[in-house]
Amino acid sequence: TIPVGIINLGTSENKLCFDLLQKRLMRPDMLQIEPAFLQYPDWKGHSFLREEVAKFLSHYCRSPKPLKPKNVVVMNGCGSLFSALAATLCDPEDAILIPSPFYGVITEDVGLYSSVKLHHVPLYSQVPTGSDVRPFQLTVEKLENSLKEAKKEGLNIKALILLNPHNPLGEVYSSEEMISFLEFAKMHKLHVIVDEIYMLSVFNETDTFHSVLSLDGLPDPQRTHIMWGVSKDFAMAGMRVGMVYSENRDLVQALDQLGCFHGVPGPTQYQMAQLLRDRDWLNSEFLPENRRRLREAHSFMTEELKKLDIPFLHRSAGFFIWADLSKYLSEKTFAEELSLWRCFLKHKVLLSCGQAFSCVSPGWFRIIFTDQLHKLKLGLSIAHFHFSSCILVVSPMEWDKM
Amino acid sequence: TIPVGIINLGTSENKLCFDLLQKRLMRPDMLQIEPAFLQYPDWKGHSFLREEVAKFLSHYCRSPKPLKPKNVVVMNGCGSLFSALAATLCDPEDAILIPSPFYGVITEDVGLYSSVKLHHVPLYSQVPTGSDVRPFQLTVEKLENSLKEAKKEGLNIKALILLNPHNPLGEVYSSEEMISFLEFAKMHKLHVIVDEIYMLSVFNETDTFHSVLSLDGLPDPQRTHIMWGVSKDFAMAGMRVGMVYSENRDLVQALDQLGCFHGVPGPTQYQMAQLLRDRDWLNSEFLPENRRRLREAHSFMTEELKKLDIPFLHRSAGFFIWADLSKYLSEKTFAEELSLWRCFLKHKVLLSCGQAFSCVSPGWFRIIFTDQLHKLKLGLSIAHFHFSSCILVVSPMEWDKM
């Protein structure tokens, strides 16, 4: 039978652990209904969940002091949190600094409801002579330059967004780097939203993740807000649960106001609390096995890219590889990048191209590797066929069922 | 033991049916996890749920033709739907007509994110000589007058919100009335949001509810959008599930864009689909027993009000009685109304006063009757004590546990 449909290597989802999750989420302890679950909740989240979140983050972020439940706000996903944070930290038309490339959906998250703009801090693929040692390296100097430039343009910059581990770069910042970014923000009185949604998806010992919650004291705790959620690290984007940790009481209160638009069902809050407190399952089953599968899929994909002689950033976090396909562009422009992207899609492989992440260097693509091996193989073979100028005729819809 | 806490007769929740709901929601068919539930969903809602919603509304709204799943958008509650509808139908600073008194939270629903204002169509308690036959009666003439007045004030009115059954009046409009309102809107090219969230909470044969979806043809189908949700009729405000039905494709597409901020967990969508398709449970167990309990609690509360000689609107829909406590005001002002409200609260009874619904006649209160009898009795006895100028000393927090 001819496979139909598309191979989706574009959406950042971890499809490697459904068996583990299904088994856990269908255990009888998940089916519980109490009056409070069906009544209007506290819009910041039920206290039983906020308590578990505080304990969970204290443990996995290695916080020196126990984190406080009252500083936790739970909403239906990190997109909602970005929207609500933008609405509360900014006035409409204010702007937020964000290093590019970055997970492009944030543009809509802060813009659709709140009319807040992003101002990009461009990072380049070439390693210049200077203090940079990595491609796309973020430095305080670049942050300073972008902030100056934004002010010149008349923009009112209110905040900085940092992704750690980084999407799409897979970059994991050292504590020293993070501190320097936070110090920069403090100096300019910028709020910082630190998105740590991939914190438990670091799958090789070569990279060690340090949450800003592990720091012995934040430079500016009233202006530092940490995000996490279950979409990536627990492979449950469909569960719609995200959370922010902030010591800023006014912010927590403002988020509570907007929380009525971003509520999580009571029974779901209960299930998530069950999951977060199940250290046995997390530490003995899910987390090690998930890391093993991530490592295996990542290693398969990188080997294939090496065979194809495609350069990429060798990182060990997230569900994606940031790869340089510019050698396949007839000229190094974004128009050519888009036409390469279209060509993949025509051949039924969905990738994400650099411009979707506002990347300033054309030809980079984000390739998701967190799918079953046979799909990755098929996706790559098609890409390969394409590179060899072969045309593969397939019709849509059935591959997704493979 | 002295009871502590407050008697909440202010929040519109049905607390009469938890036993039925718990039994149903804990049946094993509710615990199901499939890959699609954990992956990024269609932001309008999973197709399996939209199909069940269309069938459910077709049946219970007595739609002459089967309603179409593609016209259904599911979000996490009707507050989210109001927010998203305001953002899509209006530009910031545009306004929406709404007859007052009305469920006051709508002001925040359309305003917090979307900066849309409400323009009230004031309804009065006195029955004037004219075509009016009921207190607080809505007529096309009043809509016309308010629209003219709004235009004079330079407001750009884009839509009309109609609540049917009405909160807080308990009013159920006849089909003829609804058609006249819809014709008014059509003539002025206004969108109409018809909120039918209490449609299954009509508990006496004296009132018959007619959904606008039962009409043989809407006057302006492209501008008519019908809302329903599980918060009231299924007594599950904590489940966060609401839906809109609209034939307007552009609107559905726009709501889909904003849907990422208002997503419902996949497993919750599955559970709601199970519930909506379980006609056996709905028709033989839940709906008749719920109506019986609503009727009983309503009848207890109205008898008590009669004993206290408090005038009220005798309606048979919703969870509340709209009562005229103006005889307890030393003068008929909103300041006095607020001080009466505070006095109740001081004596540990939470009610909602008319100004919270933007009522123009002072002294009206909304009294929720959908709680256990012993709480209603306690709440009333305290209110009665107060009226007799007795002071009851109680301390907070424990009554809610009674």
Side-chain angles (χ1 to χ4, degrees), chain A residues 11-13 15 18 21-22 25-28 30-41 43 76 79-80 83-84 87 103 108-110 112-114 231-232 235-240 257-258 260-268 271, chain B residues 11-13 15 18 21-22 25-28 30-41 43 76 79-80 83-84 87 103 108-110 112-114 231-232 235-240 257-258 260-268 271:
Chain A
T11 308
S12 185
E13 289 188 290
K15 294 178 182 167
F18 176 70
L21 294 168
Q22 186 182 43
L25 291 171
M26 285 183 69
R27 261 165 43 187
M30 286 295 171
L31 195 59
Q32 181 59 30
I33 299 289
E34 288 173 23
F37 301 175
L38 299 186
Q39 292 170 16
Y40 278 109
W43 295 119
N76 68 336
S80 295
S83 176
Y103 174 59
E108 278 79 49
D109 287 346
V110 304
L112 271 183
Y113 262 133
S114 314
S231 299
K232 310 300 183 183
M236 294 182 195
M239 199 60 91
R240 312 312 305 138
Q257 289 283 309
L258 287 169
C260 57
F261 304 128
H262 307 297
V264 178
T268 305
Q271 290 172 353
Chain B
T11 309
S12 186
E13 289 187 290
K15 294 179 181 166
F18 176 72
L21 294 168
Q22 184 182 45
L25 290 172
M26 285 184 69
R27 262 163 45 184
M30 286 295 171
L31 194 59
Q32 181 60 29
I33 298 289
E34 288 173 21
F37 300 175
L38 300 186
Q39 292 169 18
Y40 278 109
W43 294 120
N76 68 336
S80 295
S83 176
Y103 173 59
E108 278 80 49
D109 286 346
V110 304
L112 271 182
Y113 262 134
S114 314
S231 299
K232 311 299 183 184
M236 294 183 194
M239 200 60 91
R240 311 312 306 137
Q257 290 282 311
L258 286 169
C260 58
F261 305 128
H262 307 298
V264 178
T268 305
Q271 290 172 353

Side-chain angles (χ1 to χ4, degrees), chain A residues 287-340:
Chain A
L287 291 173
E289 180 60 17
N290 184 40
R291 270 196 295 269
R292 199 193 60 72
R293 293 183 191 184
L294 287 172
R295 198 158 49 231
E296 185 183 68
H298 179 261
S299 140
F300 167 78
M301 189 62 102
T302 53
E303 287 310 313
E304 294 296 313
L305 291 174
K306 280 177 196 164
K307 282 183 212 160
L308 291 165
D309 215 16
I310 292 174
F312 60 90
L313 298 194
H314 208 300
R315 303 284 180 268
S316 310
F319 306 159
F320 32 73
I321 293 164
W322 187 240
D324 179 6
L325 304 187
S326 61
K327 67 172 179 175
Y328 300 109
L329 304 184
S330 55
E331 50 181 33
K332 303 211 169 181
T333 63
F334 287 112
E336 280 302 304
E337 180 187 280
L338 195 62
S339 99
L340 181 59

